[in-house]
Amino acid sequence: MQLGFVSAILPEFSLDEVLGFAAAEGFACVEAMCWPVGKAERKYAGVTHVDVTDFSQAKAEDVLSLCARHGVSLSALGFYPNPLDPDPAVAEPAIAHLRQVIAAAPLLGISTVTSFAGRDWRRTVDDNWPRFLDTWRPLVRFAEEHGVRIGIENCPMLFTADEWPGGKNLFTTPSIWRRAFAEIGSDALGLNYDPSHFVIQGMDPLGPLDEFRDRLFHLHMKDVRLNPKAIAEVGRFDMPARWHEPRIPGHGEIDCGRFLAEVRRVGYDGPVCIEVEDETFGRSLEGRITARGNWTATLEWGAGSDPPGVDDAGDVGRLGAPGRRAGADAGGPDRHQDARGHP
């Protein structure tokens, strides 16, 4: 597996700076955010590290050159809108831009695009279903034509009042995945699997891994802390933002070592990108970088192997601190690889 991070943590940085940061800290890859340039409509959105508007092979070569210089690959191109928003003025531009992201990926030698399925949060799953099929069948066909797989994250997008009561992403449970994969009927549709989203639903994050092993296209690694006192007051039918908080790996409810060991057991050997939404460390750039220093001190890299940042004496250090480095010196790309991880 290749350890990376979601570039949304560094909205202040250019792609060159993001890749330089990743290289300095020993990361092997980065999931690059590809939102349209402009103001974000929600937290963690609106970050543009690869601008796919009017993307060309020449622009792709510029990106590839940066990746080669820093020795860091791009694990995926990420764009997480709501393609099923009930307002066509929101949904239609989102779908059009997602097509641009898909079309840009093969120019970079990238085979995975990550996104949300979307949802009209006011309606049930069944009521959303016809529109889901009408929207996603052509999107998946478009991806197939470009040799691209789409990994849908299993985030419910149900945290704030404007997302109540159904959330803004359908792809939240195994029963929905099963139905979608059967009715879309394409190997190009799969998962960007985040274990933390199972925890807030009271589900086992390890349980679906075996059944959906062939649909694991990309992994997010994020933890979550539940607040039992708040749950006892308002219950889990209240908005999750009131009774849980996202945490960095190892600081919440998930046994990260056990999870990654199971991921390995089922045969996944792709990117694992840490997603930082942990405000315990503060919202500033300095706070987010401080959080970064804690990531690999607690991430065990699967059963039977040391986590990155463990030195020969078994002492756990910060990623990039003295000791064995992750990335290039621990099975990651060398300093002459491009965005595809190719020499």
Side-chain angles (χ1 to χ4, degrees), residues 43 64 66 68 72 91 139 182 205 212 236 239 255 321 330 333 336:
K43 188 164 62 172
L64 293 171
L66 291 176
V72 176
L139 277 172
F212 295 98
R236 288 205 183 194
M239 285 181 287
D255 184 334
H336 302 289

Side-chain angles (χ1 to χ4, degrees), residues 57-227:
Q57 191 60 58
K59 291 181 179 179
E61 291 302 325
D62 290 341
V63 174
L64 293 171
S65 177
L66 291 176
C67 292
R69 187 200 317 162
H70 293 292
V72 176
S73 65
L74 300 184
S75 65
L77 299 183
F79 174 48
Y80 296 86
N82 184 358
L84 303 184
D85 192 288
D87 183 352
V90 175
E92 290 173 7
I95 293 167
H97 189 76
L98 183 54
R99 284 176 169 267
Q100 290 183 303
V101 177
I102 292 168
L107 297 180
L108 292 163
I110 294 171
S111 62
T112 304
V113 165
T114 48
S115 194
F116 287 149
R119 177 173 177 165
D120 182 341
W121 61 96
R122 308 165 304 175
R123 299 178 180 273
T124 67
V125 172
D126 286 342
D127 288 341
N128 270 273
W129 207 255
R131 186 157 172 243
F132 166 72
L133 294 177
D134 288 345
T135 300
W136 279 94
R137 278 174 172 156
L139 277 172
V140 172
R141 280 198 301 270
F142 186 75
E144 288 175 333
E145 292 165 1
H146 287 78
V148 171
R149 309 180 305 173
I150 304 175
I152 303 296
E153 186 179 351
N154 54 304
C155 177
M157 288 307 294
L158 173 55
F159 304 107
T160 55
D162 65 313
E163 297 163 341
W164 188 262
K168 293 187 177 181
N169 185 30
L170 279 174
F171 244 59
T172 55
T173 67
S175 65
I176 293 173
W177 302 345
R178 230 173 266 121
R179 182 180 179 184
F181 295 146
E183 296 189 31
I184 295 290
S186 172
D187 291 338
L189 183 66
L191 299 168
N192 181 20
Y193 195 102
D194 184 329
S196 71
H197 300 313
F198 288 98
V199 176
I200 64 172
Q201 297 181 84
M203 301 163 70
D204 178 9
L206 279 68
L209 290 171
D210 192 65
E211 178 182 351
F212 295 98
R213 63 174 69 197
D214 294 332
R215 300 286 184 170
L216 300 177
F217 293 174
H218 197 269
L219 252 64
H220 277 179
M221 197 66 214
K222 184 169 81 267
D223 213 333
V224 62
R225 174 69 68 186
L226 305 182
N227 183 337

